[in-house]
Amino acid sequence: MLVGLHAPELVRVTRPGHFAMVIPPSGERAATALGIYEAHGERASLLFFEVGKRTRELGSLKIGDQLGLLGPLGNGFTLGQARNVAIVAGGVGIASVLLPAQAALAAGARVRLFYGARTKELLVERERFANEGCEVLVATDDGSDGHRGYVTDLLANAHDKPDLILACGPTPMLRAVARVAGEINVPAQLSLEETFACGVGGCWGCVVPLVRTSAQAPSFPPAERQGSDVVYARICKEGPVFWAHELRW
Amino acid sequence: MLVGLHAPELVRVTRPGHFAMVIPPSGERAATALGIYEAHGERASLLFFEVGKRTRELGSLKIGDQLGLLGPLGNGFTLGQARNVAIVAGGVGIASVLLPAQAALAAGARVRLFYGARTKELLVERERFANEGCEVLVATDDGSDGHRGYVTDLLANAHDKPDLILACGPTPMLRAVARVAGEINVPAQLSLEETFACGVGGCWGCVVPLVRTSAQAPSFPPAERQGSDVVYARICKEGPVFWAHELRW
Amino acid sequence: MNATQVDLSVKVGKLELDYPTFMGSGCYGSGEEFAPFVDLARIGAVVLKSVTRLPRLGNPTPRLVHTPAGMLNAIGLQNPGIEWYLEHDVKKFAERPCAVVGSVAGFSVDDYAYTCERLAARDEIAAIELNISCPNVAHEGETFACDPNLTANVVRAARATTDKTLIVKLSPNVTDIAGIARVAESAGADALAVINTVRGMAIDVETWKPRLGNVTGGLSGPAIRPIAVLAVYEVARAVKIPIVGQGGIETTSDALEFFLAGASAISIGTGNFTDPRIPVRIADELAAYLAARNVASLRQIIGKANVGFANPYQYEGDEG
Amino acid sequence: MNATQVDLSVKVGKLELDYPTFMGSGCYGSGEEFAPFVDLARIGAVVLKSVTRLPRLGNPTPRLVHTPAGMLNAIGLQNPGIEWYLEHDVKKFAERPCAVVGSVAGFSVDDYAYTCERLAARDEIAAIELNISCPNVAHEGETFACDPNLTANVVRAARATTDKTLIVKLSPNVTDIAGIARVAESAGADALAVINTVRGMAIDVETWKPRLGNVTGGLSGPAIRPIAVLAVYEVARAVKIPIVGQGGIETTSDALEFFLAGASAISIGTGNFTDPRIPVRIADELAAYLAARNVASLRQIIGKANVGFANPYQYEGDEG
Ligand SMILES: Cc1cc2nc3c(=O)[nH]c(=O)nc-3n(C[C@H](O)[C@H](O)[C@H](O)COP(=O)(O)OP(=O)(O)OC[C@H]3O[C@@H](n4cnc5c(N)ncnc54)[C@H](O)[C@@H]3O)c2cc1C
Ligand SMILES: Cc1cc2nc3c(=O)[nH]c(=O)nc-3n(C[C@H](O)[C@H](O)[C@H](O)COP(=O)(O)OP(=O)(O)OC[C@H]3O[C@@H](n4cnc5c(N)ncnc54)[C@H](O)[C@@H]3O)c2cc1C
Ligand SMILES: Cc1cc2nc3c(=O)[nH]c(=O)nc-3n(C[C@H](O)[C@H](O)[C@H](O)COP(=O)(O)O)c2cc1C
Ligand SMILES: Cc1cc2nc3c(=O)[nH]c(=O)nc-3n(C[C@H](O)[C@H](O)[C@H](O)COP(=O)(O)O)c2cc1C
Ligand code: FES
Ligand code: FES
């Protein structure tokens, strides 16, 4: 489901990898974290599958309905000087990688999208990425399209080594991306997913263990005072994008 | 909101005053009691206002959606030999009185509909009743249409005394109908509303006090064994329609 | 494995059931009320509405109020009293194509023992559930199930009256439900029903009156499911007798949480008000779930929640 | 009367607030996190995330799970410890345009007293909330708030360290919350926060693992509102000190239930995760509600739930 929003203010400040907390139209449920899929001119959009109560409620919105959201939130992807970017998306992770793909293309980089899903029908929006100028390589669990197996197989076997990997998708996929990135020695940024409550850093519910040296969690006592070199950083605040090598999974 | 149902089986056994328990499409909430508004041929319909969570969910149904319901349920109106029927409907109570109106008209009786609501816009479906052959008299709290005040004022002041009163609406209105019926000495059947859980007589949550002599609650020990001549009868099972004089409000 | 080959039968005390589903006391009448909509042969047992020694008119109205993902009820044990019940109602229960479990409530140890003995003596009744946890009749929340001594006394007295399976229904409104469970087990319970409703209240902000005639009521439905799953999990670790898990079960996934937490059977109350097809749907889907995992019998997964979490990282204060 | 003329101010101990809204501990960071979305000048007070004597990494992940009309959390009091906190965090709180209430947790009476004394000494902190009811850190559900003696000891010790307003936060996971409330009052509490989360658990039926790294967690949100309203109602009848009511508040109607039940102020936790505009909306709508009824001050409706129900009919057994 793709929900287009008239949201010029949001578009103005959105950067690749940002997300929003979407306020449920009817209460009783926490807001839903959704990546910002498109952000151009006056129009932003959200892309999601109707998998549970909240996304189904969002899916029943009608044209003209008002939708409350908090955003953009979080720290997104940083492209730096990358010239050859590999984007790895699993399932609905595709929702968070259009903006970085566009930014990299606009900066003149080569962009390959490695896109995996359970089955062909779930490979949504692939033409969109191709039209933008990405090379699109796909994998499906059931072999109904592209490589049969993991999308990370494609990444591991890619001939031309990227100089930056960006990834978004289910945690097992991200772990695999981190492993492959380590093996081929390419820096990788992973956009993590976790159950959120507040989405703005207020509840410490969405944490992931990081190596403490990270500059991403500055407001915590140094390692020598803890007896541990690990810190739980908030995915919603310090992330959702983290460098793969900083994670202590 | 009027929801039409393709439900030939339901239509076949529905009698005036019956209701149905409508199963919520998405769980977590009790089924909703709704009067059966129309029942003809293969088509039944439900009429409701979207006042709360469950009715709003029902209101978002799309054409072609499946809807589970239990029904028809309860004991409805009995017309007997009535020749001059006064039907009193308050607000959404209108949903339970089309079938008895049609039945009385079909039996050749005169049928007056005394129809009250807070304001004009809530007087839904009045043309429908007029088209069926009812005389329609309306009252609104704010005087935006018809008599300004209670619908029971109209009933009390009606020149031509009915020989049977049927009523459905909010409890304060039904109490007033019972009082007026007593004053003008006309038997009245009231369709009561209460919060339901099971709707089929299984939980004893929806009771109303009746004089024990009623044949409507046979499966309960006789008064002399209780020290009280009152019995709590289930609105969903022994009702929803009760004779006004049997109620111990 | 094929779903039809999966064994869903369970044993609760001496009660052997083809399906692991109880219909909760007070929620299912005597089964008859739901028979037009559900094939009762596809459920395990109906637990009857609780009966008391003397007739009770029950609480004043309103008795029900819907709350987020749940409801409050305060029926107050409306029932005709055990004499009338034995004379007029019980013989009809023989017609049910499922097990019929009697439920007994009371206000003194004697009450319980008397009513239990009379009811258990009847052939139509397969087992007795002792409702010592109804939140809607006792004063100041003091029900039998809130006090270990009262629990011990009432269970012992009821136990002495019958050899039939005795299920004791516990209250979640206590500091330590596992402790009460141990007491009930020692006093002779064959099984435990976990949990009865959670005490609650709602106020009408237009009239400023409580929404229930009884002021307070019992909360049930999906809202309380996490509370119930934990109660089952803790009780299962405290006792050896089987548990009938309940509280907010609507789906097969909900039911599985209770089995994995340690329930030998489940009970559906409020779920029947959402959709009476739920118990049959759960039986079908449980079989499919187990078949897909090559598990031959439901009994194999009871209590198998895997809590082997490692806590890999710690600070000094975490040991606190 | 005009809504702008309505007085929404409340007094909780020595704390005088223009708005009767607290933002629940652990749900609102230090207020800063929500400042981009809400005008903090329109809320009463932020209760900070609980702090402990030593730094705590907190519980392993996952720490959150959504449940019907609510959620379970098991954060486990992740915090940098009181020293670091005083040095690095507290000075920023002076910038908040609302009252800032410190929250103190601990594992011994000494812990509480130490942390409370250090924190209360700071000017940036207007009052102290004693979190003796966190369900996510104690062993076997034994928190301080579950035992009258522990409650008395810890409240007395904290009381001795400061003259600032001391709010004691109670647990619903007890047989008799009113009894614990009385103990806390006698031991010197200026106010009570009622209630903390309800203990619960959820299990992943695919992996058979608990959905929380900590196995059990605390249930919050609309699901627990009826439990919380009753707790406030019972505590209000047991003590004279003010109550900060909380548990599932999302709307003005929800808030009014708590005021009518006897709360002098309300607190919003999980509601902020549904929509951070809730506290400001409640303030606006409360004023309109009172104005429409010609009530000049919110204080006039506190505890005014009208429970004068007559029970007109009875049978013999109803007296039981
Ligand atoms: C930073 C961040 C960004 C996100 N961006 C997006 C986005 O752009 N688009 C999007 O769709 N989601 C996104 N998500 C995930 C999204 O927040 C959750 O999927 C959402 O909470 C589902 O809510 P729900 O109430 O509909 O389902 P829930 O009721 O919470 O879950 C329903 C069931 O669906 C399962 N489930 C959850 N997600 C999936 C899935 N993807 N496929 C299959 N089953 C699933 C759950 O395990 C559960 O059993 C993002 C999450 C984070 C943290
Ligand atoms: C036998 C029987 C037959 C019924 N037939 C019908 C019918 O045919 N059509 C129909 O619409 N309803 C009918 N009702 C009432 C209907 O069941 C309730 O209105 C319904 O439960 C509302 O559910 P909800 O979840 O949408 O609202 P809830 O969440 O239960 O209530 C939402 C809020 O709306 C208020 N409210 C409830 N009803 C009204 C109303 N009518 N107008 C304004 N505010 C209201 C409530 O007080 C509450 O504050 C019938 C009830 C019974 C017992
Ligand atoms: C309307 C209603 C009436 C109930 N009456 C009884 C009763 O008479 N005896 C009893 O032991 N439990 C009674 N209960 C409790 C249920 O049997 C069940 O234990 C509880 O509601 C939790 O399960 P649930 O969430 O599936 O409903 C009643 C519950 C409801 C909702
Ligand atoms: C994610 C989360 C973290 C919490 N952390 C704390 C805490 O650190 N200290 C505390 O006293 N209460 C804590 N609570 C409890 C809340 O402050 C509040 O009392 C409770 O959630 C009930 O209110 P609610 O339903 O409005 O959330 C926490 C609650 C949640 C949901
Ligand atoms: S979701 Fe609350 S801190 Fe991230
Ligand atoms: S609603 Fe259950 S008996 Fe009427």
Side-chain angles (χ1 to χ4, degrees):
Chain A
M1 174 100 191
L2 185 70
V3 171
L5 305 170
H6 177 81
E9 273 300 292
L10 180 74
V11 171
R12 211 170 43 76
V13 283
T14 294
R15 300 285 164 268
H18 275 161
F19 71 96
M21 292 301 284
V22 181
I23 295 176
S26 70
E28 281 183 29
R29 305 202 185 277
T32 317
L34 292 177
I36 300 174
Y37 180 56
E38 298 166 297
H40 188 71
E42 308 217 309
R43 180 174 182 278
S45 74
L46 307 170
L47 180 70
F48 54 88
F49 292 137
E50 298 181 37
V51 296
K53 300 225 156 66
R54 292 173 300 167
T55 44
R56 271 199 298 270
E57 191 181 343
L58 293 176
S60 73
L61 289 172
K62 296 178 196 70
I63 288 172
D65 284 352
Q66 298 250 355
L67 187 65
L69 60 78
L70 315 181
L73 297 169
N75 290 308
F77 295 105
T78 34
L79 292 170
Q81 303 305 316
R83 307 301 312 151
N84 185 351
V85 179
I87 295 184
V88 190
V92 79
I94 196 73
S96 294
V97 296
L98 180 63
L99 294 182
Q102 288 173 331
L105 289 164
R110 174 185 182 198
V111 179
R112 275 173 294 176
L113 173 69
F114 297 82
Y115 187 9
R118 262 178 297 129
T119 185
K120 192 177 172 175
E121 284 69 41
L122 298 175
L123 289 169
V124 298
E125 297 286 304
R126 54 193 284 195
E127 284 77 23
R128 173 66 189 271
F129 280 79
N131 293 342
E132 294 278 341
C134 300
E135 298 155 52
V136 180
L137 296 88
V138 305
T140 50
D141 293 0
D142 62 0
S144 55
D145 200 348
H147 171 69
R148 178 197 197 101
Y150 293 128
V151 66
T152 43
D153 303 341
L154 294 176
L155 179 67
N157 299 330
H159 290 305
D160 185 7
K161 194 167 119 170
D163 55 9
L164 178 66
I165 298 172
L166 311 179
C168 185
T171 305
M173 184 200 88
L174 295 180
R175 285 178 195 271
V177 171
R179 200 179 48 245
V180 171
E183 282 162 14
I184 64 176
N185 199 23
V186 176
Q189 294 169 28
L190 312 181
S191 178
L192 303 192
E193 223 192 83
E194 179 56 274
T195 305
F196 281 5
C198 69
V200 299
C203 76
W204 295 88
C206 63
V207 299
V208 63
L210 292 193
V211 212
R212 175 173 296 276
T213 50
S214 165
Q216 289 170 313
S219 72
F220 221 66
E224 55 279 9
R225 291 175 64 168
Q226 310 311 320
S228 166
D229 65 341
V230 153
V231 64
Y232 276 128
R234 296 162 294 188
I235 293 178
C236 71
K237 187 84 176 182
E238 282 82 44
V241 177
F242 294 96
W243 287 105
H245 64 269
E246 291 189 337
L247 293 166
R248 266 297 186 87
W249 273 355
Chain B
M1 174 98 191
L2 184 70
V3 171
L5 305 171
H6 178 81
E9 272 300 291
L10 180 72
V11 171
R12 211 169 44 75
V13 283
T14 294
R15 299 287 165 265
H18 275 160
F19 70 95
M21 293 300 286
V22 181
I23 295 176
S26 68
E28 280 184 31
R29 306 200 186 278
T32 317
L34 292 177
I36 300 174
Y37 179 57
E38 298 166 296
H40 188 72
E42 309 218 306
R43 182 174 182 277
S45 74
L46 307 170
L47 181 69
F48 54 89
F49 293 137
E50 298 181 38
V51 296
K53 299 224 157 66
R54 292 173 299 166
T55 45
R56 272 200 297 271
E57 191 181 343
L58 293 176
S60 73
L61 288 172
K62 295 178 196 70
I63 288 172
D65 284 353
Q66 298 252 354
L67 187 65
L69 60 78
L70 314 183
L73 297 170
N75 290 308
F77 295 104
T78 35
L79 292 171
Q81 303 304 315
R83 307 302 311 153
N84 185 351
V85 179
I87 294 184
V88 190
V92 80
I94 197 71
S96 294
V97 296
L98 180 64
L99 294 183
Q102 288 173 332
L105 290 164
R110 174 184 182 198
V111 179
R112 277 173 293 176
L113 173 70
F114 296 82
Y115 188 7
R118 262 177 295 130
T119 185
K120 191 177 171 174
E121 284 69 42
L122 299 175
L123 288 169
V124 296
E125 297 286 302
R126 52 193 285 193
E127 284 78 22
R128 173 66 188 272
F129 281 78
N131 292 342
E132 295 278 342
C134 299
E135 298 155 52
V136 180
L137 296 88
V138 306
T140 50
D141 293 0
D142 62 1
S144 55
D145 201 348
H147 170 70
R148 180 197 195 100
Y150 294 127
V151 66
T152 44
D153 304 341
L154 295 176
L155 179 66
N157 300 330
H159 290 304
D160 184 8
K161 197 167 115 173
D163 54 9
L164 179 65
I165 298 172
L166 311 178
C168 185
T171 305
M173 184 201 87
L174 294 181
R175 285 178 195 270
V177 171
R179 199 177 49 243
V180 171
E183 283 161 14
I184 63 175
N185 199 24
V186 176
Q189 293 169 29
L190 312 181
S191 178
L192 304 191
E193 223 192 84
E194 180 55 275
T195 306
F196 282 4
C198 69
V200 299
C203 77
W204 295 88
C206 63
V207 299
V208 62
L210 291 193
V211 210
R212 177 175 295 276
T213 51
S214 166
Q216 289 170 313
S219 73
F220 220 67
E224 55 276 18
R225 291 175 66 168
Q226 310 309 320
S228 166
D229 66 340
V230 153
V231 65
Y232 277 127
R234 295 162 293 188
I235 294 178
C236 70
K237 186 84 174 182
E238 281 83 43
V241 177
F242 295 96
W243 287 105
H245 63 271
E246 291 188 338
L247 294 166
R248 266 296 187 87
W249 274 355
Chain C
M1 193 179 300
N2 183 307
T4 57
Q5 299 167 305
V6 171
D7 179 8
L8 294 180
S9 72
V10 293
K11 247 192 109 185
V12 174
K14 295 174 189 154
L15 211 54
E16 302 192 16
L17 304 172
D18 290 342
Y19 296 99
T21 46
F22 287 65
M23 300 303 109
S25 175
C27 301
Y28 216 67
S30 71
E32 193 185 15
E33 293 81 353
F34 283 86
F37 314 108
V38 194
D39 179 1
L40 298 181
R42 301 282 329 277
I43 67 170
V46 172
V47 186
L48 302 165
K49 168 113 199 108
S50 300
V51 66
T52 54
R53 186 169 190 162
L54 295 175
R56 287 177 54 85
L57 188 56
N59 287 327
T61 61
R63 290 178 172 185
L64 301 173
V65 48
H66 297 298
T67 65
M71 56 178 284
L72 287 167
N73 86 79
I75 312 297
L77 299 177
Q78 173 165 359
N79 80 89
I82 187 69
E83 307 305 336
W84 177 273
Y85 191 72
L86 292 173
E87 214 173 304
H88 294 86
D89 296 334
V90 175
K91 55 179 165 293
K92 287 180 284 179
F93 304 155
E95 300 158 15
R96 304 284 177 280
C98 58
V100 175
V101 176
S103 171
V104 168
F107 301 88
S108 69
V109 171
D110 274 0
D111 273 4
Y112 275 105
Y114 177 84
T115 313
C116 183
E117 177 159 29
R118 300 287 314 269
L119 190 57
R122 292 289 294 259
D123 287 344
E124 297 90 344
I125 300 293
I128 296 284
E129 185 169 281
L130 221 53
N131 174 9
I132 60 170
S133 47
C134 179
N136 296 324
V137 291
H139 303 285
E140 313 277 323
E142 265 300 333
T143 64
F144 283 78
C146 290
D147 180 300
N149 293 326
L150 291 175
T151 300
N153 292 342
V154 73
V155 174
R156 224 176 282 125
R159 172 75 292 168
T161 70
T162 179
D163 286 334
K164 285 190 178 159
T165 300
L166 186 67
I167 305 169
V168 176
K169 190 160 181 178
L170 302 185
S171 167
N173 306 301
V174 295
T175 311
D176 176 22
I177 194 170
I180 304 276
R182 264 185 235 105
V183 168
E185 181 182 41
S186 311
D190 295 312
L192 300 171
V194 178
I195 56 175
N196 209 321
T197 53
V198 183
R199 294 179 69 234
M201 178 180 185
I203 298 172
D204 184 324
V205 303
E206 295 304 323
T207 63
W208 297 13
K209 280 194 189 170
R211 284 191 182 270
L212 293 172
N214 186 52
V215 182
T216 72
L219 185 63
S220 63
I224 68 166
R225 193 166 62 233
I227 303 172
V229 170
L230 176 57
V232 168
Y233 176 80
E234 291 187 337
V235 170
R237 267 147 199 76
V239 301
K240 294 210 166 51
I241 51 179
I243 296 166
V244 184
Q246 57 204 283
I249 297 176
E250 282 192 348
T251 67
T252 305
S253 166
D254 301 344
L256 283 162
E257 287 195 67
F258 283 83
F259 290 119
L260 292 168
S264 294
I266 55 151
S267 180
I268 300 163
T270 305
N272 292 302
F273 312 153
T274 299
D275 187 342
R277 297 167 297 187
I278 286 173
V280 172
R281 195 182 295 145
I282 288 180
D284 290 341
E285 292 176 357
L286 272 182
Y289 173 95
L290 294 168
R293 283 159 185 78
N294 264 305
V295 179
S297 157
L298 175 62
R299 289 188 296 277
Q300 289 171 249
I301 74 165
I302 293 170
K304 290 292 158 55
N306 166 7
V307 294
F309 272 100
N311 187 348
Y313 314 113
Q314 276 204 333
Y315 290 178
E316 340 157 41
D318 286 291
E319 287 149 42
Chain D
M1 191 179 299
N2 184 306
T4 57
Q5 298 166 308
V6 171
D7 179 8
L8 293 181
S9 72
V10 293
K11 247 193 108 183
V12 174
K14 294 175 187 152
L15 211 54
E16 302 191 15
L17 304 172
D18 290 342
Y19 296 99
T21 45
F22 287 66
M23 299 305 110
S25 175
C27 300
Y28 216 68
S30 72
E32 190 185 18
E33 292 82 351
F34 283 86
F37 313 108
V38 194
D39 178 2
L40 298 182
R42 301 281 328 278
I43 68 170
V46 172
V47 186
L48 303 165
K49 169 112 200 108
S50 299
V51 65
T52 53
R53 187 170 190 161
L54 294 176
R56 286 177 55 84
L57 187 56
N59 286 329
T61 62
R63 290 178 173 184
L64 301 173
V65 48
H66 297 298
T67 65
M71 56 178 284
L72 288 167
N73 87 78
I75 312 297
L77 299 178
Q78 172 166 358
N79 81 88
I82 187 69
E83 307 305 335
W84 177 274
Y85 192 71
L86 292 173
E87 213 174 305
H88 295 85
D89 296 334
V90 176
K91 56 179 165 291
K92 287 179 284 181
F93 304 155
E95 299 157 16
R96 304 285 177 280
C98 59
V100 174
V101 176
S103 171
V104 168
F107 301 87
S108 69
V109 172
D110 273 1
D111 271 4
Y112 275 105
Y114 177 85
T115 312
C116 182
E117 176 159 30
R118 298 288 314 271
L119 189 56
R122 292 290 293 259
D123 287 343
E124 296 90 343
I125 300 293
I128 296 285
E129 184 169 282
L130 221 54
N131 174 8
I132 61 170
S133 48
C134 179
N136 296 324
V137 290
H139 301 284
E140 312 278 321
E142 267 299 334
T143 63
F144 281 79
C146 290
D147 181 299
N149 293 326
L150 291 175
T151 300
N153 292 342
V154 72
V155 174
R156 222 176 283 124
R159 172 75 290 169
T161 69
T162 179
D163 287 333
K164 285 191 179 159
T165 300
L166 186 67
I167 305 170
V168 175
K169 189 160 184 179
L170 302 186
S171 168
N173 306 302
V174 296
T175 311
D176 175 22
I177 194 171
I180 303 276
R182 266 185 234 106
V183 168
E185 181 182 40
S186 313
D190 295 312
L192 300 172
V194 177
I195 53 174
N196 210 321
T197 53
V198 182
R199 294 180 67 235
M201 176 180 186
I203 298 172
D204 184 324
V205 303
E206 295 305 322
T207 63
W208 298 13
K209 281 195 190 171
R211 284 191 181 269
L212 292 172
N214 186 51
V215 182
T216 72
L219 185 63
S220 63
I224 67 166
R225 193 167 63 232
I227 303 172
V229 170
L230 176 56
V232 167
Y233 176 80
E234 291 187 336
V235 170
R237 266 143 201 80
V239 302
K240 295 208 164 52
I241 51 178
I243 295 166
V244 184
Q246 57 203 284
I249 298 176
E250 281 191 347
T251 68
T252 304
S253 167
D254 301 344
L256 282 163
E257 287 195 66
F258 284 83
F259 290 120
L260 292 168
S264 295
I266 54 150
S267 180
I268 300 162
T270 305
N272 292 302
F273 311 153
T274 300
D275 187 343
R277 296 166 300 187
I278 285 174
V280 172
R281 196 183 296 146
I282 288 180
D284 290 340
E285 293 177 357
L286 270 182
Y289 173 96
L290 294 168
R293 283 158 184 78
N294 263 305
V295 179
S297 157
L298 175 63
R299 288 188 297 276
Q300 290 172 247
I301 74 164
I302 292 169
K304 290 291 157 57
N306 167 7
V307 294
F309 271 99
N311 188 350
Y313 314 113
Q314 275 204 335
Y315 291 178
E316 338 156 41
D318 286 291
E319 286 148 41

